[in-house]
Amino acid sequence: MKSLYPLVLVAALCLIGCKDHKKEKPKEASTTTVKTTPKVNPAEELVKTISATHYAQDFHQEQAIQFHLKATLADKNSFEGTITLTPDFSKIKIEKTDGTILLANKNKTVVYPEGKNYEQAYFDLFTWAYLFALPYTLNNNKPTYSNKTDRNLLEKTYQTAEIAFKEQLQTLQNPLVIYADKRSYLLKAIVYNDNETDNEKAVVYENYFTVKMLPIAKNWKIYNYNDKKGLSDEPIGKVELSEVEFPTINETTFAIPEGAVKIKK
């Protein structure tokens, strides 16, 4: 039998030759994706934390909120009545203890009866509802946030930020300065420019209690304010809340009474 060695040797050489002639595929350049962290706006983060502390999402799940409010003011007539509003502010109803009804239903603002139309009606209709609901509506309609810093108020330091709403509030001028407690993140105060007087005012929220998990300030104090001196020595107004409820509403809740007339501005 002839030796198989020459054949095996030839086959081996052929295999080696074939491997040498194969072209190696070029290695693909490695690409590294660098993830960029979005820049955080400290003022916006503070506002979101305040909203979460006040259970803003739960507030907006309610059909309506109703409460009794009594205000004693130095430069205006005192106010007392029951206020009902929807969380989106599209409807507000005030039933004053003297029988006057103030109503905002979308673009209509009316008073009933006609003889009860008075100078402060527009102020009363919107201001008390806004000041009550503000802690739960700070993020409504994507406002702009700026100037997060610490500020002193009533001999204590608070975290603060400025908010400017896209749509100007009826009785409060942009921007608002909000004060938050550093430990609880409850809203402590706001500073705003009063559209009616064009003077800066401060509202200080006190004595929080809870209804359906929502923190609600039972007492408010209203002060004159300026950047240099801060709060006026004494409050110019005091407010007390009671009887907070979340009623079921129907088509009659915010219906405009026959004989109602447009509110004077």
Side-chain angles (χ1 to χ4, degrees), residues 124-139:
D124 286 341
L125 178 56
F126 289 103
T127 303
W128 306 122
Y130 280 144
L131 293 177
F132 170 84
L134 192 62
Y136 321 101
T137 56
L138 292 172
N139 287 308

Side-chain angles (χ1 to χ4, degrees), residues 152-153 224-233:
N152 293 324
L153 187 76
N224 284 319
Y225 180 89
N226 67 54
D227 289 332
K228 292 183 179 180
K229 296 182 180 180
L231 300 178
S232 55
D233 292 336

Side-chain angles (χ1 to χ4, degrees), residues 97-117:
T97 51
D98 68 356
T100 304
I101 295 176
L102 308 176
L103 190 67
N105 192 332
K106 297 181 180 178
N107 295 324
K108 295 181 179 179
T109 56
V110 300
V111 58
Y112 175 85
E114 181 178 358
K116 293 288 187 177
N117 209 346

